[in-house]
């Protein structure tokens, strides 16, 4: 039985190590230290230090009684001091393995390894180990999924495309959420750091400089613009660090994804474990004929603020050739020669009523503010017009979606083209991975021969894929093909 890396002791004692803060705080007033002050500190803090030593000793004992073993058939982990607990995973059941070379583990020669089997009743990893790099190298030679292959095909996106991907998939909202998470989790430390860096003074200085350059624009508008740009920049830098040095490898038995600059990640995904492929585009990418390939696979992209990206940016013309190894046959992502939905005025209205409603509310509020609160409107009118732009952008997306939304079955695979929010999705999934289908009809839609179809595909988290305004004839054809496939 092998042991994990000793740094795992800190993991076992992390909940109680906060007690160390008390003897440390007591030592603060002795600075600068001398032998006399240290002796006085030990005299007053000996009990706290004893408790901390006992906590670390308990963690060390727990680490010593935990271990793991592996061979070509199974990997087994044992934990517990008095009450033993054993977890055993057959190697044939492993769907993905994640290696996290975190920046705080690398100086100690440690790496965190997460093993997933796709079991529906397990929220996180089925097994998580903190290993020596030497042990990980040995495991790679034994576990079939991790064993190196000779027939490896490598895809590496150009640096400019990674920059463009980070630019397109960064948002001020995600950056603000990330900054808020750091602020609230860091608590007083973060607030003290912001005060030390004089963040408020820096913001005011930037506002003054920008106001002098952009004359006529209210200072409040400039301040809000700086905050929005700063939040977007946080998201951009985070995506750039997360997806830099991106590599995709494919062989006959598995796929590998390498990414990350400060904390590199390595993923090994078994062929056949991918539930479905999700090709995403925003409106700008659609105009540039670019797409980002994402997948649904147990253990991949499950962490917070992480996208399950298989290829950051890909030319639309290269999509079918790139996805062929994933699907074991030539796909039809672009949907050539597939009949489109016939034009229907009510169907078009189903797509555009939401952005039109939002746009109408914003314009009405602007008009009311201008009529009843003109002095305030003059100072804050920019806020209303800032809301007009996303509404118009959303309207353009829905218009394009009305012309592009469709679905079909081909070679045992389900293809879905639709939009959700500001993103266009192209789903490619084996028809056998359809978990359930829900169809809804309104009275007017029934008269027009239209319905809404909701597809639920297999995965650890059940995502809903909604297609709006599907023709009844198209849906009945799909349903008949699915029934025929079940019969086979």
């Amino acid at each position: 039985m092998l042991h994990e890396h000793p740094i795992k002791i800190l993991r076992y004692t992390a909940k109680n190590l906060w007690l160390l803060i008390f003897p440390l705080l007591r030592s603060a007033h002795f600075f600068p230290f001398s032998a006399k002050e240290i002796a006085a500190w030990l005299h007053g803090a000996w009990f706290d230090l004893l408790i901390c030593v006992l906590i670390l000793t308990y963690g060390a004992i727990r680490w010593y009684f935990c271990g793991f073993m592996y061979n070509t058939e199974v990997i087994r982990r044992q934990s517990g001091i008095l009450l033993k607990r054993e977890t055993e995973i057959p190697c044939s059941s492993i769907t993905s393995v994640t290696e996290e070379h975190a920046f705080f583990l690398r100086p100690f020669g440690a790496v965190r390894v997460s093993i997933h089997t796709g079991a529906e009743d397990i929220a996180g990893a089925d097994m998580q180990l903190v290993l020596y790099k030497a042990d990980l190298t040995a495991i790679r030679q034994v576990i079939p999924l991790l064993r190196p292959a000779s027939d490896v095909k490598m895809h590496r996106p150009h640096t400019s495309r990674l920059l463009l991907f980070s630019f397109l998939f960064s948002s001020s909202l995600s950056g603000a959420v990330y900054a808020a998470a750091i602020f609230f989790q860091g608590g007083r430390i973060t607030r003290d750091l912001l005060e030390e860096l004089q963040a408020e003074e820096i913001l005011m200085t930037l506002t003054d400089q920008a106001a002098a350059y952009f004359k006529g624009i209210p200072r409040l508008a400039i301040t809000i613009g700086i905050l929005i740009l700063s939040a977007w920049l946080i998201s951009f830098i985070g995506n750039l660090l997360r997806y830099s040095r991106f590599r995709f490898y494919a062989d006959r038995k598995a796929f590998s994804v390498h990414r990350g600059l400060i904390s590199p990640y390595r993923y090994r995904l078994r062929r056949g474990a991918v539930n479905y492929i999700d090709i995403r585009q925003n409106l700008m990418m659609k105009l540039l004929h670019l797409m980002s390939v994402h997948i649904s696979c147990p253990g991949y992209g499950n962490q917070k603020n992480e996208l399950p990206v298989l290829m950051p940016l890909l030319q639309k013309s290269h999509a079918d050739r790139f996805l062929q190894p994933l699907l074991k046959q030539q796909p039809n992502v672009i949907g050539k020669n597939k009949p489109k939905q016939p034009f229907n005025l009510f169907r078009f209205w189903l797509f555009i009523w939401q952005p039109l409603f939002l746009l109408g509310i914003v314009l009405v509020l602007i008009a009311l503010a201008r009529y009843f609160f003109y002095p305030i409107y003059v100072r804050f009118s920019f806020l209303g017009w800032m809301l007009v732009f996303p509404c118009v952008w959303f309207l353009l997306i829905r218009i394009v979606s009305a012309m592009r939304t469709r679905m079909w079955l081909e070679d045992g695979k389900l293809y879905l083209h639709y939009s959700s929010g500001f993103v266009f999705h192209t789903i490619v999934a084996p028809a056998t991975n359809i978990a359930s289908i829900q169809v809804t009809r309104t009275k007017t839609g029934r008269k027009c021969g239209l319905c809404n179809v909701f597809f639920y595909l297999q995965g650890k988290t059940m995502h809903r894929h909604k297609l709006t305004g599907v023709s009844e004839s198209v849906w009945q054809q799909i349903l008949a093909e699915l029934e025929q496939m079940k019969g086979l």
Side-chain angles (χ1 to χ4, degrees):
M1 192 72 71
L2 301 173
H3 289 292
E4 297 182 57
H5 196 285
I7 202 171
K8 190 69 176 282
I9 296 173
L10 297 179
R11 170 68 178 84
Y12 290 137
T13 59
K15 293 181 180 180
N16 300 312
L17 278 179
W18 61 272
L19 293 173
L20 281 171
I21 194 172
F22 296 111
L24 290 176
L25 288 176
R26 288 180 182 178
S27 65
H29 70 278
F30 291 117
F31 184 84
F33 299 109
S34 66
K36 185 177 180 180
E37 278 80 8
I38 292 176
W41 172 66
L42 289 173
H43 180 74
W46 69 270
F47 184 75
D48 293 329
L49 291 174
L50 178 62
I51 295 297
C52 293
V53 169
L54 291 176
I55 292 171
L56 289 172
T57 302
Y58 167 75
I61 295 173
R62 187 178 175 186
W63 166 82
Y64 180 78
F65 281 93
C66 295
F68 68 98
M69 60 81 60
Y70 61 92
N71 53 41
T72 56
E73 302 295 330
V74 69
I75 181 167
R76 185 182 296 114
R77 183 178 185 271
Q78 180 179 287
S79 61
I81 301 175
L82 298 177
L83 184 63
K84 296 292 184 181
R85 179 182 178 184
E86 195 171 89
T87 302
E88 182 176 291
I89 299 178
C91 293
S92 58
S93 300
I94 299 176
T95 57
S96 66
V97 178
T98 303
E99 302 175 15
E100 180 185 357
H101 300 261
F103 69 93
F104 54 87
L105 294 176
R106 291 163 70 184
F108 303 97
V111 57
R112 184 184 290 124
V113 178
S114 302
I115 301 173
H116 301 263
T117 63
E120 295 182 359
D121 58 338
I122 297 179
D126 298 79
M127 184 183 294
Q128 192 171 84
L129 304 169
V130 180
L131 306 176
Y132 292 96
K133 286 187 177 181
D135 287 339
L136 177 59
T137 302
I139 289 177
R140 286 175 181 164
Q141 304 299 323
V142 176
I143 302 297
L145 180 63
L146 301 178
R147 198 175 297 156
S150 57
D151 58 328
V152 177
K153 295 181 180 179
M154 192 264 282
H155 298 268
R156 182 180 66 180
H158 196 270
T159 305
S160 60
R161 292 197 175 183
L162 285 174
L163 287 169
L164 183 59
F165 169 81
S166 300
F167 176 83
L168 294 173
F169 279 88
S170 299
S171 67
S172 298
L173 179 60
S174 61
V177 170
Y178 184 68
I182 295 176
F183 183 81
F184 287 112
Q185 291 176 6
R188 182 64 187 173
I189 296 175
T190 307
R191 289 190 288 271
D192 291 343
L193 182 61
L194 291 176
E195 291 178 2
E196 185 69 24
L197 296 175
Q198 299 180 340
E200 185 177 353
E201 289 80 358
I202 293 174
L203 178 61
M204 292 298 101
T205 302
L206 289 174
T207 302
D208 293 337
Q209 293 178 353
Y213 186 79
F214 299 101
K215 295 181 180 180
I217 299 179
R219 285 179 54 85
L220 180 59
I222 293 175
T223 303
I224 293 175
I226 292 174
L227 292 175
I228 292 175
L229 183 61
S230 300
W232 178 87
L233 190 61
I234 291 173
S235 177
F236 174 78
I237 294 174
N239 282 334
L240 198 59
L241 294 176
R242 189 178 294 116
Y243 299 104
S244 60
R245 300 173 64 184
F246 196 97
R247 304 289 188 275
F248 172 76
Y249 301 87
D251 56 52
R252 286 179 296 180
K253 56 185 178 182
F255 312 105
S256 298
V257 175
H258 298 184
R259 65 157 182 86
L261 183 62
I262 298 177
S263 296
Y265 281 77
R266 290 185 177 183
Y267 302 89
R268 186 73 170 168
L269 315 174
R270 179 169 58 83
R271 281 183 180 270
V274 178
N275 298 314
Y276 59 87
I277 300 170
D278 182 4
I279 299 173
R280 302 183 187 182
Q281 297 172 289
N282 56 30
L283 189 57
M284 188 179 299
M285 293 173 67
K286 208 166 187 64
L287 294 174
L288 296 174
H289 298 286
L290 295 172
M291 53 180 56
S292 177
V293 182
H294 301 231
I295 59 171
S296 171
C297 181
Y300 186 62
N302 293 343
Q303 294 192 6
K304 195 175 182 180
N305 297 323
E306 184 180 9
L307 296 173
V309 180
L310 195 65
M311 180 56 65
L313 276 186
L314 187 68
Q315 287 283 351
K316 188 177 181 180
S317 57
H318 299 161
D320 289 347
R321 186 178 50 145
F322 174 79
L323 296 176
Q324 185 175 4
L326 287 172
L327 303 173
K328 299 182 181 179
Q329 56 184 258
Q330 190 74 14
N332 187 10
V333 173
I334 301 176
K336 295 178 180 178
N337 304 321
K338 292 298 169 184
K340 298 181 180 180
Q341 288 274 138
F343 180 78
N344 183 296
L345 190 59
F346 178 72
R347 179 178 181 273
F348 187 72
W349 170 253
L350 290 176
F351 281 88
I352 66 171
W353 76 268
Q354 289 178 324
L356 283 179
F357 180 73
L358 293 174
L359 182 61
I361 289 178
V362 173
L363 293 177
V364 167
L365 290 176
I366 291 175
L368 291 175
R370 183 174 183 178
Y371 186 79
F372 292 104
F373 308 100
Y374 187 77
I376 300 177
Y377 166 79
V378 172
R379 296 189 60 186
F380 299 99
S381 61
F382 67 92
L383 292 175
W385 293 111
M386 284 175 66
L387 295 175
V388 169
F389 177 76
C391 293
V392 173
W393 192 257
F394 187 33
L395 177 61
L396 292 175
I397 289 173
R398 298 296 286 173
I399 291 174
V400 175
S401 183
M403 298 183 291
R404 296 292 182 179
T405 297
R406 49 184 168 161
M407 63 179 181
W408 74 91
L409 284 169
E410 183 179 342
D411 296 329
K413 292 180 178 58
L414 175 70
Y415 294 84
L416 304 176
H417 281 305
Y418 70 98
S419 69
S420 176
F422 291 85
V423 179
F424 296 95
H425 295 266
T426 299
I427 304 296
V428 185
T432 53
N433 284 1
I434 300 175
S436 64
I437 304 174
Q438 180 183 358
V439 181
T440 61
R441 299 175 179 87
T442 62
K443 290 183 178 180
T444 309
R446 192 185 299 272
K447 292 179 181 179
C448 297
L450 299 174
C451 61
N452 299 326
V453 183
F454 302 83
F455 285 92
Y456 296 86
L457 303 178
Q458 290 180 0
K460 275 215 167 183
T461 55
M462 198 74 72
H463 290 287
R464 185 181 72 170
H465 307 275
K466 178 184 177 182
L467 278 80
T468 303
V470 177
S471 173
E472 284 282 0
S473 59
V474 173
W475 163 238
Q476 292 300 329
Q477 181 183 353
I478 295 291
L479 187 60
E481 292 180 8
L482 287 174
E483 293 293 336
Q484 184 179 2
M485 291 178 59
K486 284 184 179 180
L488 296 176

